[in-house]
C-alpha cells in the first residue's frame, strides 16, 4: 500500500487599502440611502440603498479572502475561501508537471526570470521579513506564487527532491 501524504495550509490575502475604501464606501452608501428611503419615504432612495447593500455584500465577500492549499497524492489543490463562509475551487497542480519550487528570491530561479510566463498569485501578497513566499514554475508557461507552510514544502520535496529548493 502506498502511503499518502496530506498537508493543508491556509493563507490570508491582504486586502488592499483601495478595496478597504470601496468596502466602507458601499456600506456607508447603503446605510445612507436605506435610511433616506425608510424614514423620508423616498422610493428611489430605498431602491438605490438595496442595490448598494447587495454591492456591499459582494465587495465584502471578495475582499475578505483566504487561499487554502491542499497537498494530497502528488497534487496541490488551491481553493479560495470567501469571508470564511464560501469555498470555491480555483485550480490543481500535478507535481509531475512542476519544473521548480523555490523561495521567491532564490538564486535557483535565476534561469527562469527571463521567461515570458503567466503569473498567478495565491499568496498573502505581503513581502515579509523573511519572505515566506515561493515561486513555482509549472508546465512551461505558468509562474505560481504561493506561501506554503514548511510541512507542505517538506512533503513536496519528498516526492520531487530535485525540483524543490528551500535555500
Amino acid at each position: 500500500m502506498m502511503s499518502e501524504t496530506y498537508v493543508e495550509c491556509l493563507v490570508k490575502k491582504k486586502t488592499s487599502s483601495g478595496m478597504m475604501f470601496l468596502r466602507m464606501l458601499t456600506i456607508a452608501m447603503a446605510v445612507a440611502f436605506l435610511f433616506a428611503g425608510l424614514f423620508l419615504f423616498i422610493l428611489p432612495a430605498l431602491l438605490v440603498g438595496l442595490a448598494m447593500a447587495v454591492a456591499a455584500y459582494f465587495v465584502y465577500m471578495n475582499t475578505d479572502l483566504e487561499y487554502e492549499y491542499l497537498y494530497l497524492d502528488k497534487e496541490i489543490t488551491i481553493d479560495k475561501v470567501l469571508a470564511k463562509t464560501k469555498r470555491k475551487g480555483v485550480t490543481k497542480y500535478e507535481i509531475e508537471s512542476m519544473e521548480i519550487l523555490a523561495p521567491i528570491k532564490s538564486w535557483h530561479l535565476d534561469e527562469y526570470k527571463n521567461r515570458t510566463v503567466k503569473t498567478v498569485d495565491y499568496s498573502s501578497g505581503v513581502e515579509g521579513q523573511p519572505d515566506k513566499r515561493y515561486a513555482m514554475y509549472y508546465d512551461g508557461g505558468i509562474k505560481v506564487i504561493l506561501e506554503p507552510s514548511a510541512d507542505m514544502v517538506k512533503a513536496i520535496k519528498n516526492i520531487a527532491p530535485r525540483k524543490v529548493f528551500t535555500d
Side-chain angles (χ1 to χ4, degrees):
M1 186 178 135
M2 192 177 121
S3 70
E4 292 181 349
T5 306
Y6 174 87
V7 183
E8 223 176 281
C9 180
L10 198 62
V11 175
K12 175 107 174 92
K13 176 98 172 138
K14 184 179 185 316
T15 306
S16 71
S17 53
M19 291 307 281
M20 285 300 287
F21 175 74
L22 183 62
R23 185 194 297 187
M24 289 186 281
L25 180 68
T26 55
I27 291 169
M29 287 180 68
V31 168
F33 279 104
L34 287 171
F35 181 80
L38 289 173
F39 295 107
L40 303 175
F41 305 109
I42 304 170
L43 185 61
L46 186 61
L47 295 175
V48 170
L50 289 173
M52 290 309 298
V54 170
Y57 169 78
F58 284 108
V59 168
Y60 174 72
M61 290 295 278
N62 287 295
T63 55
D64 187 6
L65 189 61
E66 292 175 315
Y67 292 111
E68 182 184 66
Y69 314 142
L70 183 68
Y71 173 76
L72 176 66
D73 198 25
K74 298 182 184 174
E75 148 177 307
I76 301 168
T77 305
I78 299 176
D79 291 343
K80 211 164 44 167
V81 181
L82 306 170
K84 295 181 180 58
T85 57
K86 191 174 179 187
R87 173 184 306 275
K88 283 172 100 171
V90 177
T91 189
K92 285 186 179 177
Y93 296 106
E94 301 286 335
I95 298 303
E96 281 94 45
S97 299
M98 177 181 78
E99 295 175 53
I100 187 170
L101 176 70
I104 201 158
K105 297 197 171 157
S106 171
W107 62 271
H108 290 96
L109 296 171
D110 287 350
E111 65 183 85
Y112 296 87
K113 290 209 189 321
N114 294 327
R115 282 194 188 177
T116 306
V117 292
K118 177 184 172 193
T119 301
V120 287
D121 189 346
Y122 301 119
S123 73
S124 67
V126 177
E127 185 178 324
Q129 295 298 329
D131 199 342
K132 293 184 171 106
R133 297 175 301 158
Y134 276 70
M136 175 175 74
Y137 282 84
Y138 185 80
D139 209 19
I142 303 172
K143 176 184 176 184
V144 183
I145 300 172
L146 302 168
E147 209 165 317
S149 64
D151 290 342
M152 182 169 283
V153 173
K154 185 178 168 192
I156 298 168
K157 190 175 178 98
N158 286 340
I159 296 298
R162 290 187 178 95
K163 296 179 180 181
V164 179
F165 301 93
T166 55
D167 288 6

